Amino acid sequence: TSSPDARGSSPLHRAVLRGNFALVKRLVCNLDVRELDALDADGCTALMLALPDDVRTSRLLRAAGAAEHVVAPERRPKPRLW
């Protein structure tokens, strides 16, 4: 189920916060694309919670269709200089 908790966090939000990539992957496979951009009580999407620290989860969420425009500019990853 994708029911939010008292803080408005969905199971996807909670899995991202816990760093549980396997669960995030499983949830993403079963979610409607619109659910990827659900906001918690703080106005954060799962992608916002993943950035900038969890690159693997961020990539997965983006590949699944999470909207980039929802990501606040201050939470975007810094570009890497190779």
Side-chain angles (χ1 to χ4, degrees):
T1 180
S2 60
S3 300
D5 64 13
R7 297 240 347 108
S9 296
S10 69
L12 180 60
H13 285 102
R14 293 190 298 274
V16 169
L17 285 171
R18 291 183 181 123
N20 189 337
F21 183 78
L23 181 56
V24 170
K25 191 173 181 180
R26 192 169 72 218
L27 289 169
V28 164
C29 289
N30 294 306
L31 287 178
D32 182 273
V33 171
R34 294 175 302 227
E35 292 179 85
L36 292 173
D37 298 323
L39 300 175
D40 65 10
D42 295 321
C44 294
T45 65
L47 180 56
M48 291 170 77
L49 297 173
L51 290 172
D53 301 322
D54 192 341
V55 174
R56 185 169 69 155
T57 297
S58 299
R59 286 180 181 158
L60 173 65
L61 292 169
R62 285 183 179 125
E68 289 284 333
H69 70 275
V70 180
V71 178
E74 67 274 9
R75 297 199 51 128
R76 292 189 182 180
K78 293 180 174 67
R80 293 184 183 184
L81 301 175
W82 301 97

